Every structure is written in C-alpha cells, then in structure tokens.
Amino acid sequence: MDFILTDNRLLSIKDKVLSNVRLDADDALLLYKSNDIIGMGHLADFVRRKRHGKKAYFVYNQHLNYTNVCITHCRFCAFSRNKGQAGAFTLTINDVRKKLLDRIDEPITEIHMVGGINPELPFGYYLDLLKTIKEIRPNVTIKAFTAVEIDYLSNIAGLSLEDTIHTLKNAGLEMVPGGGAEVLSSRVHDKLFPRKIGHERWLEIVAKIHSAGLTSNATMLYGHIETSKERVKHFMRLRSLQDETNGFTAFIPLAFHSQNTLMSDIPSTTAFEDLKNIAIARLMLDNFDHIKAYWVMIGEKLAQAALSFGADDLDGTIIEEKITHMAGATSAKGLTHKKIWHMIQSAGWDAVERDSFYNEIKSVKKSKGSPEPG
Ligand code: V47
Ligand code: SF4
C-alpha cells in the first residue's frame, strides 16, 4: 500500500499502522505537531476501511433535552440557565409525551436524552421519563443520561452507583451517551468545569456502566484551552478503559462553540483542526469500533469530508438540537433521513442506517438510479 506522506516524521507511524502495531502517546503528539493532514487522513482512512469497508453509518434519532436548568456552570456551556432565568426550561412528563407523539409517524429508532443538573427534579422524574418513552415508543433504544447525570442521580436517589444504574436500566435505559468527559485532565477540569466530576470519577462511573452490561460512547470537547498533550492523555485514558471493559461503542470529537459562553473570545475551530482530530482519534483509538463525525458541530459539509479522514458515522437525524445551537452552531437543527442518506452516498460511501448498537436497518448500495429510501 502506497501512502503519500509529505511529512517524513510520519513514516514510522505509517510502518506501525501497516503492521498493526499500536501507536503510543509520542506518536499521537507527533501527529498533532504535523501539518500533513492528507498523510494522516490517508492512514486513518486505511484503518477505517479495514474495519468498515465502504460503509458509513447513520441513525434515525430524536434528541430530547428535558431541562437546561443546571447548577454546574461549566464555562464552555451556552445551554444552561439558572432557575427562573430567561430561557430556562424544564419539560413536564406531558411535554415529553407530546414531543414524542409529534413525531410518532417517523421510524425513529433511538431517543438521545440529556439535560442539566437541576436540583428541583426528584429521582422519580427520571424514571418517569424513561417509562414514558418506552410506553409511547416501545421499540426505540433509549440512550440517555451522561456519567455526570448518573453520578448526580445516585446522590439524589440515595443509592449506590450499581443500584442507580440497575434501577435506570429496569426503567428502560439501554445505552449512555458520551458527554461529560470534556477533557480527561485535572488542569482543564479545575479551570473550566470545577463543579462537575473529574476524570477519575468519570472513568469510574463509565466502568460501572459497562459492568452493568450497558454500552456507552465517549466524547472529547476540543478547541478551547486544552493542549495537544492533554488531548493525547484523554485518548490514552479512554483506550486503557476500553482495554478493560470493551464497553465503548463510538468516540465523538466535539468542536467547541464559544458564542454565548464565558469563553466567547475563543475563535471557532478550523476545518483543518476538526479533520485532524478525527484522523488522530481513528489512529489512536484502535479498540473503538466507531468514530463519529458529529455533523451538528462541524457542519454537514465537513462531516461529509470527515468520512474520508477516519470517521465511519455521521450520528443521525437529531430533529431538534439545542446544546450546540445555543452556542452559535450554524448547522441545521435536524436532517431528514433522505438528506443524511444523500450526504453519505454523494461522498462515495455506502449509506447504512443502523440502530444504536450498529445493527443494520437498511443498507443501500450506491448505484446509478438506485432509489433513495425515506
Ligand atoms: O458534554 C457543551 C458538549 C456535550 C458545548 O454519545 C459543547 O452519541 C461544543 O455528549 N460547544 C453533550 N460542545 C453532547 C454529547 C453528545 C453529542 C452527540 C452524540 C453523543 C453520543 C453525545 O456537549 C457536553 C459537552 O462536552 N458541549 N457545550 C459548546 N459550547
Ligand atoms: Fe450543566 Fe451540562 Fe452545561 Fe455543564 S455542560 S453547565 S453540566 S448543562
């Protein structure tokens, strides 16, 4: 296999990739230092094709944010509000019911649900959320509550983490989204999100989620104050936990949007940086099956290109996104099934609709005149 590398420092990484040798932290740092984005993209694409061939995945999902009232005050967040502040909201169980019924005719397979840390809500509310979703849509997978929310729920329920996870699972929780990890670094934690759990607790909770038989995703919020070294440490921490539990499904790099946050002076990430993070994630996280290019954060067009830089998944239809749009995202708030399918096919990949666990729902080979589903 011939690779075009313009940075000769990447030759040793190429040799490792071709002979299936795990990259180390120094390799990752070198990749971050290098400007050879085509070279590293090519290597990441090689790894991605070995795993998934020409398939590129998406899911028909609906996002639900049950509250944006939050006492955690992360500096990077534009979504949260204090109780009573303009723009604050908390959905009642009936509001949730209505949001689900509004879309009941669409073949949604996943509900992605997260919210702020709102001290007004009792543990029973969270169980009611899960039960209501299952009552209205018995066949969807509920991917809900980050490790941060699960930590908080165990406090208010007065239960051990194990019992909290077990109770949520019995009420319908099937998978946990990757948020709340931010950057797994004490320095970044202390500066940006000191009231939220730190990396040790995040990893501990995720390990418990996995040992309870639930899978989860992992994210990394990049493009603020974190250094390359801290990003690399983040990858190494995730990779070692995955070696132990094999419970992670996908990794999702999240590009920081600063508008309306306490860090609004930080400029948007560049396409160069976004693609680089996707490629390095694919090369470093050799025990993660999937790397998602989250189109909401990097935009539809760049997400399409990211499929050739190591990503194999675009996430989904979403329908109503709040967290990134309140921070200035200019992407659409949701995509139709047809549009996301077209994004993938027109980039030269075979679009595969999947469920939350990457079981294939519909697979359409690109061929002249093949009808678009949906
Ligand atoms: O944890 C908050 C991030 C995350 C901003 O698991 C911001 O499939 C950018 O975790 N700019 C929540 N990011 C979103 C999330 C997620 C999204 C899509 C799919 C999955 C999955 C998980 O959003 C938070 C935080 O890291 N975030 N504010 C901001 N201003
Ligand atoms: Fe609250 Fe989450 Fe926003 Fe932090 S990122 S302030 S925990 S809603």
Side-chain angles (χ1 to χ4, degrees), residues 148-216:
V148 177
E149 287 159 285
I150 291 177
D151 175 66
Y152 174 73
L153 292 181
S154 106
N155 288 335
I156 59 168
L159 295 172
S160 67
L161 269 176
E162 286 84 351
D163 287 345
T164 307
I165 296 166
H166 189 70
T167 310
L168 294 169
K169 200 175 159 184
N170 279 346
L173 182 70
E174 286 163 284
M175 192 177 179
V176 170
E182 319 313 355
V183 182
L184 298 169
S185 139
S186 304
R187 187 191 74 91
V188 179
H189 171 261
D190 295 353
K191 286 201 178 311
L192 299 193
F193 52 103
R195 292 200 191 89
K196 192 141 104 179
I197 55 172
H199 73 268
E200 277 149 351
R201 183 75 175 154
W202 190 88
L203 291 166
E204 181 193 342
I205 294 168
V206 170
K208 294 235 157 80
I209 291 165
H210 294 172
S211 59
L214 296 176
T215 55
S216 76

Side-chain angles (χ1 to χ4, degrees), residues 63-69 88-100 113-114 118 121 125 129 320 322:
H63 276 208
L64 277 178
N65 296 123
Y66 55 90
T67 185
N68 68 344
V69 174
F89 71 86
T90 299
L91 302 184
T92 63
I93 297 298
N94 259 341
D95 294 333
V96 170
R97 194 184 291 278
K98 186 167 178 317
K99 279 189 182 286
L100 293 167
M113 179 171 66
V114 291
N118 180 347
L121 301 171
Y125 169 84
L129 283 175
E320 188 192 21
K322 286 201 170 75

Side-chain angles (χ1 to χ4, degrees), residues 309-324:
F309 281 77
D312 59 276
D313 190 288
L314 290 188
D315 198 88
T317 48
I318 316 262
I319 298 174
E320 188 192 21
E321 203 282 335
K322 286 201 170 75
I323 297 175
T324 330

Side-chain angles (χ1 to χ4, degrees), residues 2 6 24 33 147 258 264 266 361 366:
D2 231 11
T6 53
D24 59 26
K33 276 188 201 131
S258 68
S264 56
I266 296 185
I361 292 176
K366 189 179 163 90

Side-chain angles (χ1 to χ4, degrees), residues 238-282:
L238 290 178
R239 195 168 80 176
S240 356
L241 180 58
Q242 179 74 330
D243 279 342
E244 279 170 40
T245 66
N246 200 30
F248 287 116
T249 304
F251 175 74
I252 311 135
L254 302 175
F256 176 51
H257 285 61
S258 68
Q259 215 174 298
N260 306 319
T261 74
L262 293 172
M263 302 195 290
S264 56
D265 54 319
I266 296 185
S268 307
T269 61
T270 60
F272 188 83
E273 210 184 334
D274 295 333
L275 291 177
K276 216 168 154 179
N277 274 298
I278 296 266
I280 298 175
R282 181 60 286 167

Side-chain angles (χ1 to χ4, degrees), residues 130-155:
L130 296 169
K131 288 178 192 157
T132 303
I133 297 171
K134 276 290 172 191
E135 178 199 310
I136 294 176
R137 279 200 179 267
N139 297 324
V140 291
T141 299
I142 307 181
K143 170 162 67 91
F145 310 139
T146 64
V148 177
E149 287 159 285
I150 291 177
D151 175 66
Y152 174 73
L153 292 181
S154 106
N155 288 335

